[in-house]
Amino acid sequence: MTEYNFPKDFWWGSAASGPQTEGHVAGDGKGDSIWDVWFKEAPDKFFDGVGPDKTSQFMKYFKEDIQLMKQTGHNTFRTSIQWSRLIPDGTGAVNAQAVEFYNQVIDELLATGIEPFMNLYHFDMPAKLQEEGGWLNRETVDAYVKFAETCFDLFGDRVKKWFTHNEPIVPVEAGYLYQFHYPLHVSFKEAVQVGFHENLASAMAIEKYHATYDGQIGIILNLTPSYPRDENNPADVSASEYADAFFNRSFLDPAVLGHFPEKLIEVVQDLNIVPEMLPGDLQIIAENHVDLLGVNYYQPRRVKAKVSKKVAGSPVMPDDYFDNYEMPGRKMNPYRGWEIYEKGIYDILKNLKENYGNIECYISENGMGVEGEEKFRGENGEIQDDYRIEFVKEHLKYVHQAIGEGSNCRGYHMWTCMDNWSWTNAYKNRYGFISVELDHDGRRTIKKSGHWFKTVADSAGFTD
Ligand code: BGP
């Protein structure tokens, strides 16, 4: 038996987002986001036709939910402020009901001894701004900075940990390359512009925050380590470096180091898709770094040198620089189709220590989506999710090892607290410590993993 002891002040908790949990309440004044619009246009794209209107009804149940957080060991919890709830059209008047709602959530969390971590953008562009081009439009950057300042002004007296974006690469790849988020475009040029504007918006919000407020501000990135098929094959290694530059370093380097990676610059210059920018933009990025980095980790990316032929006439894509590699014998989460590779979390933390000044960080998402979890509900009504306990434990062991070797990792947040609405997958795969039964008006029950996590948080570790 080995003891895995974590620092006494380690952050134990989970992450969620406004659009995936809150739901709509009649007359709440919320404006539409791209998700509301897309769902109205194409409900069949969403698993079982379940849209963003209902979700887990956190708006209705937040008081009870925060008590459940306490019962599952949370000392911290991350969610997001929905831009389209706070400022319904993205740029105009503030919605007083939204202010009241987020105030109540923040106050309730603090009164329960749970520190709120607040994110500002979680894939949820206000519809009105998307009509004007969303992140492609420079004016969105200014609107975002105003939104960020409004949030700091309204809630910054109590919220001391802010994040500018969750997984900003996702709007780039999902919205402008691979068509799994609105607006479903395919354009490397647009993708680069979107990524640039998100980076700039983040740096500008950080600048404002540092000028006036005393907490910490960071960014949450899904760092997906790129492993070459063969470390001794230079072509595989080079392919994995391209994938790393596109999907990790495109945000990690500017956020922490203040500049873009060489490989990315090379590609956008070669392809003549350098984003439009104003004089001084790069300076803003160079001078305004994050204080704290959230690391979302689900799966590795395995890469080999490009061999597949490009279909004539197909658009230029990042994938022209590498092929994905299916490693024989890899361990899979069959429901989500993602590889489970626990050591990846250690490799990320080590990379941050060695190449990113050992920036203060925490695991801001890690988790296992499972379809059909109801079949694991035991006679006592509790879901017996031993697989999730195993998943978390095996990742925590590597986090523990990294900390032992000097990593500045301060906490671990599971995705997610209670089962929530996962974009087009809706409620297909369940991730929570707490189950939500849609057929019973969102009835909540703590799963076995939730009770287990409380014991881990209470004793700041576990034995295995
Ligand atoms: C992350 C997102 C979350 C959440 C999670 C689970 O990428 O930050 O919003 O959705 O992944 O993934 P999925 O919903 O695709 O199953």
Side-chain angles (χ1 to χ4, degrees):
M1 293 291 248
T2 307
E3 277 187 28
Y4 297 91
N5 296 316
F6 288 79
K8 286 282 167 268
D9 57 353
F10 204 64
W11 305 327
W12 300 102
S14 66
S17 76
Q20 293 176 272
T21 57
E22 290 170 6
H24 299 187
V25 170
D28 62 10
K30 184 186 172 305
D32 279 352
S33 77
I34 49 176
W35 295 97
D36 301 304
V37 169
W38 194 17
F39 182 64
K40 280 179 211 160
E41 278 175 13
D44 53 306
K45 291 265 183 283
F46 294 78
F47 187 80
D48 274 350
V50 177
D53 45 344
K54 199 167 173 212
T55 69
S56 308
Q57 305 183 70
F58 184 64
M59 269 205 98
K60 186 167 156 195
Y61 293 125
F62 71 90
K63 288 207 167 122
E64 293 89 330
D65 287 344
I66 290 170
Q67 289 317 307
L68 290 170
M69 288 175 200
K70 194 74 203 159
Q71 290 167 36
T72 47
H74 288 59
N75 59 20
T76 45
F77 172 66
R78 188 247 301 190
T79 185
S80 71
I81 292 173
Q82 285 199 76
W83 189 349
S84 58
R85 182 181 297 290
L86 191 70
I87 305 177
D89 65 2
T91 52
V94 167
N95 169 12
Q97 291 183 69
V99 177
E100 194 188 331
F101 168 62
Y102 290 118
N103 270 332
Q104 285 182 5
V105 170
I106 291 164
D107 291 345
E108 192 73 21
L109 283 166
L110 289 169
T112 313
I114 299 170
E115 184 181 354
F117 288 18
M118 206 52 99
N119 176 42
L120 294 172
Y121 190 81
H122 200 124
F123 315 161
D124 54 338
M125 181 62 65
K128 267 262 163 38
L129 294 180
Q130 188 64 47
E131 283 169 19
E132 307 295 320
W135 284 118
L136 278 175
N137 183 350
R138 171 73 185 216
E139 286 173 21
T140 297
V141 175
D142 301 324
Y144 168 89
V145 176
K146 254 190 76 187
F147 160 59
E149 281 189 280
T150 307
C151 292
F152 304 152
D153 280 346
L154 288 166
F155 313 114
D157 56 333
R158 287 151 293 152
V159 175
K160 299 294 175 191
K161 294 200 176 50
W162 290 94
F163 298 92
T164 57
H165 296 280
N166 172 78
E167 303 190 349
I169 191 68
V170 170
V172 173
E173 51 182 3
Y176 295 86
L177 289 170
Y178 306 115
Q179 297 184 292
F180 54 96
H181 283 188
Y182 211 74
L184 309 164
H185 292 189
V186 183
S187 161
F188 202 170
K189 184 176 168 56
E190 289 186 355
V192 168
Q193 187 69 58
V194 164
F196 181 75
H197 278 158
E198 286 185 292
N199 268 302
L200 179 65
S202 177
M204 287 169 85
I206 291 170
E207 184 176 30
K208 297 280 182 204
Y209 188 77
H210 284 158
T212 316
Y213 300 89
D214 60 352
Q216 287 178 296
I217 185 159
I219 195 165
I220 291 163
L221 302 179
N222 47 325
L223 298 180
T224 304
S226 280
Y227 297 106
R229 168 183 52 186
D230 178 355
E231 277 180 3
N232 298 314
N233 174 345
D236 285 350
V237 172
S238 167
S240 82
E241 286 171 0
Y242 277 112
D244 192 33
F246 295 142
F247 301 112
N248 299 318
R249 298 185 60 188
S250 51
F251 286 95
L252 179 60
D253 286 23
V256 180
L257 307 174
H259 53 77
F260 291 93
E262 283 296 321
K263 268 215 147 66
L264 187 62
I265 296 174
E266 219 181 82
V267 170
V268 300
Q269 283 176 344
D270 276 3
L271 296 174
N272 205 13
I273 54 172
V274 175
E276 283 174 29
M277 60 185 86
L278 296 177
D281 283 356
L282 291 176
Q283 194 66 18
I284 294 173
I285 291 172
E287 288 172 359
N288 297 285
H289 306 176
V290 295
D291 308 318
L292 175 64
L293 182 70
V295 174
N296 292 357
Y297 175 65
Y298 288 92
Q299 56 172 340
R301 180 188 295 273
R302 300 201 185 269
V303 167
K304 61 184 180 190
K306 187 84 196 160
V307 284
S308 60
K309 288 265 169 303
K310 200 166 166 61
V311 179
S314 60
V316 180
M317 294 291 268
D319 314 56
D320 297 346
Y321 295 81
F322 65 89
D323 269 345
N324 290 312
Y325 169 57
E326 284 193 10
M327 188 180 73
R330 66 199 174 136
K331 177 158 82 174
M332 293 295 289
N333 169 356
Y335 308 100
R336 190 60 183 82
W338 285 347
E339 182 182 343
I340 299 176
Y341 181 63
E342 298 88 347
K343 181 171 173 284
I345 212 164
Y346 168 86
D347 291 339
I348 294 170
L349 294 174
K350 209 171 151 99
N351 180 34
L352 294 178
K353 175 165 179 275
E354 287 172 2
N355 300 310
Y356 294 89
N358 206 11
I359 182 163
E360 184 173 356
C361 66
Y362 80 111
I363 303 305
S364 43
E365 284 183 31
N366 177 228
M368 189 181 180
V370 173
E371 189 174 358
E373 269 200 328
E374 277 306 315
K375 65 175 171 288
F376 299 113
R377 202 178 280 281
E379 277 172 12
N380 61 355
E382 180 185 282
I383 288 186
Q384 303 296 302
D385 55 345
D386 295 86
Y387 42 85
R388 183 166 289 109
I389 296 175
E390 192 66 13
F391 180 98
V392 176
K393 208 191 260 179
E394 293 309 313
H395 282 85
L396 277 174
K397 286 180 186 173
Y398 277 111
V399 173
H400 181 265
Q401 183 180 339
I403 294 172
E405 294 172 19
S407 160
N408 200 3
C409 178
R410 302 287 312 278
Y412 178 90
H413 280 186
M414 246 275 287
W415 184 268
T416 184
C417 180
M418 69 206 87
D419 293 339
N420 67 25
W421 183 80
S422 263
W423 317 110
T424 52
N425 274 335
Y427 280 87
K428 176 173 172 284
N429 300 315
R430 305 303 182 101
Y431 281 89
F433 281 136
I434 298 160
S435 77
V436 169
E437 290 169 86
L438 297 178
D439 296 346
H440 294 274
D441 199 33
R443 180 167 67 197
R444 275 74 160 139
T445 324
I446 298 178
K447 300 179 194 175
K448 187 174 177 184
S449 60
H451 292 298
W452 171 79
F453 195 68
K454 170 127 174 63
T455 65
V456 175
D458 284 354
S459 52
F462 60 93
T463 307
D464 195 45

